[in-house]
Amino acid sequence: MTYIILYLIDDLYFNKVLDDQNPASNKGPGTDHGGQPPFKYPFSFAHKAVFSGGWTRQVTVRDLAIAKKAAGVQMKLIRGGVRELHWHVSSEWAYTISGQCRITAIDTLGRAFVDDVKEGDLWLFPGGIPHSIQGIGDDGCFFLLVFNDGNFNEFETFLLTDWLRHVPRDILAKNFQVPESTFANLTHEEMYIFASQMPRPLDVERKQASAVTGLVPNPFAFFTDKMKPNITRNGGIVKVVDARNFPVTTMAAAIVTLKPGALRELHWHPNDDEWNYFLKGKARMGVFASGGKARTMNFEEGDVGYIEQSSPHWIENIGTDDVVFIEVFGVPMFESISLAEWMAHTPSRLVDEHIFTGEDFILAINKTEAVIRP
Ligand code: MN
Ligand code: MN
């Protein structure tokens, strides 16, 4: 008994691995204060559902209570593995983390979309638009999905086979003007994510799918390697992908690279909550939630972060390698307000009367948004 008590006094860490990964939570900056709820959820905490064609796991408002307006999914498809033809109410914003995928969809005029995406490419399927994803890389593909609804459930989408199983056979026969026996092989088990053969070559499938109605005029895929960064600074780069350069999108995004020590400057987003995902590196993010509430948390590869609309925040690279993270918004346009830019464009006497730095400091602030500081 004595031995156990001494042990607890000697080592107060109950889960040293997690404590070491989260220094901002257990020895955070002295400026943290109040009851700001957590805004981080590692995908590693999520249940991984495994199928013949791959696996998936999700982070929704049911896991991360603050994430009311967006949810995310990681999905791995093996080579040939298919995410069944399906649709859902929310829009689907996606980023290919590794490998290659074949994606298909149609628009509301029945025009076809078939394309291949690789690491760094993204896609957007608006709500209600039916689509599919298939792994075609040597090791299939691994990707991130973001939905503009915190309550989204990846395991309750409208699946082609689930629906057809729940329509009377005589109605199916009448719908397609064929005998009921046409549907005799319709599976009684859920398909969802299944192993399959590789698709035909892209041009063959595209030609077949687009017969009579043609192809969608604005593709659902976007190739980030074909755009120049919007922001290039000593501390890193930013690529903004929104309705200005990706016409079909209903969701805006920014892909941010921070070099070691660099800071995504103090800012906020007036038009929506920010759902973010860390692709690589080690960072800490500080959020101020008004009423004296402030909190800092640590982030690394595979972690989801969430910042409510107009809550000011900053992100710092605290590791020795680049940090790359994605910011996603459930609105078509990316918008942000920088603290420095605001102060630079407000009468300097007025600002000084708040923060007592002297007006020279205020007058010297960059008149254009820095975005990233080294
Ligand atoms: Mn989907
Ligand atoms: Mn932000």
Side-chain angles (χ1 to χ4, degrees):
M1 195 56 164
T2 312
Y3 176 82
I4 292 169
I5 291 165
L6 280 174
Y7 175 77
L8 292 175
I9 291 168
D10 277 344
D11 189 352
L12 295 169
Y13 294 115
F14 293 95
N15 186 333
K16 192 158 179 2
V17 174
L18 276 181
D19 276 348
D20 288 348
Q21 276 178 5
N22 296 278
S25 290
N26 73 75
K27 309 177 250 212
T31 44
D32 281 8
H33 180 261
Q36 171 64 8
F39 44 87
K40 162 183 171 169
Y41 198 94
F43 265 106
S44 301
F45 285 0
H47 168 68
K48 186 190 276 184
V50 182
F51 306 89
S52 67
W55 59 258
T56 190
R57 52 189 180 181
Q58 65 181 352
V59 176
T60 72
V61 71
R62 299 178 293 282
D63 311 286
L64 178 62
I66 197 172
K68 292 191 172 58
K69 292 172 72 180
V73 165
Q74 280 182 339
M75 193 175 287
K76 161 79 188 190
L77 297 174
I78 62 169
R79 182 172 169 83
V82 175
R83 167 62 171 96
E84 174 174 354
L85 289 161
H86 73 284
W87 69 101
H88 28 75
V89 176
S90 7
S91 292
E92 169 177 317
W93 185 96
Y95 183 88
T96 314
I97 298 172
S98 65
Q100 267 187 294
C101 316
R102 167 77 47 91
I103 52 177
T104 79
I106 62 161
D107 70 7
T108 54
L109 298 177
R111 294 174 294 194
F113 169 80
V114 185
D115 213 341
D116 293 345
V117 291
K118 61 179 187 317
E119 180 178 342
D121 297 339
L122 51 93
W123 70 81
L124 185 289
F125 296 131
I129 291 295
H131 54 277
S132 68
I133 311 161
Q134 184 169 19
I136 58 167
D138 291 339
D139 188 31
C141 61
F142 178 49
F143 50 93
L144 175 74
L145 304 173
V146 190
F147 302 89
N148 56 353
D149 173 13
N151 231 332
F152 177 82
N153 189 345
E154 172 60 24
F155 304 106
E156 292 189 0
T157 61
F158 298 105
L159 303 179
L160 172 66
T161 61
D162 192 21
W163 187 29
L164 295 191
R165 274 202 304 277
H166 294 96
V167 176
R169 288 287 159 90
D170 62 313
I171 295 293
L172 285 180
K174 190 174 282 183
N175 190 70
F176 292 100
Q177 299 284 295
V178 292
E180 285 185 36
S181 60
T182 305
F183 304 100
N185 295 329
L186 203 58
T187 172
H188 289 279
E189 283 159 26
E190 183 173 274
M191 304 283 283
Y192 184 51
I193 292 177
F194 57 94
S196 189
Q197 59 185 325
M198 285 288 283
R200 298 190 173 98
L202 179 60
D203 55 342
V204 174
E205 295 213 324
R206 211 180 239 166
K207 193 171 173 211
Q208 184 195 46
S210 62
V212 182
T213 52
L215 292 166
V216 294
N218 291 313
F220 293 118
F222 185 91
F223 303 93
T224 57
D225 57 353
K226 296 199 174 114
M227 75 174 280
K228 286 206 175 84
N230 305 66
I231 303 288
T232 303
R233 301 281 187 264
N234 289 335
I237 60 168
V238 181
K239 288 184 175 183
V240 175
V241 182
D242 69 6
R244 282 166 281 214
N245 53 356
F246 186 24
V248 299
T249 203
T250 53
M251 296 171 69
I255 302 160
V256 182
T257 302
L258 293 179
K259 291 183 183 161
L263 178 73
R264 171 76 174 92
E265 70 169 336
L266 298 169
H267 71 283
W268 65 94
H269 307 277
N271 60 341
D272 202 19
D273 295 6
E274 172 177 340
W275 187 97
N276 60 31
Y277 177 85
F278 288 78
L279 283 164
K280 53 178 92 155
K282 290 189 190 308
R284 58 177 186 154
M285 176 158 72
V287 174
F288 173 66
S290 80
K293 293 193 294 291
R295 186 163 178 187
T296 311
M297 297 189 83
N298 293 89
F299 291 84
E300 56 192 279
E301 184 172 346
D303 289 344
V304 171
Y306 196 88
I307 305 131
E308 292 179 296
Q309 185 168 350
S310 291
S311 273
H313 52 281
W314 51 267
I315 297 170
E316 183 189 27
N317 183 342
I318 55 168
T320 50
D321 299 315
D322 284 1
V323 162
V324 182
F325 69 95
I326 302 172
E327 311 171 4
V328 185
F329 305 85
V331 290
M333 292 294 191
F334 178 87
E335 284 183 1
S336 73
I337 292 179
S338 138
L339 169 68
E341 194 177 32
W342 177 38
M343 286 167 59
H345 298 280
T346 300
S348 55
R349 178 184 294 181
L350 179 65
V351 177
D352 186 48
E353 284 164 352
H354 290 74
I355 62 172
F356 313 110
T357 53
E359 288 188 58
D360 288 349
F361 157 72
I362 297 154
L363 290 166
I365 297 173
N366 269 359
K367 299 291 184 245
T368 54
E369 200 180 0
V371 183
I372 293 172
R373 291 296 195 169

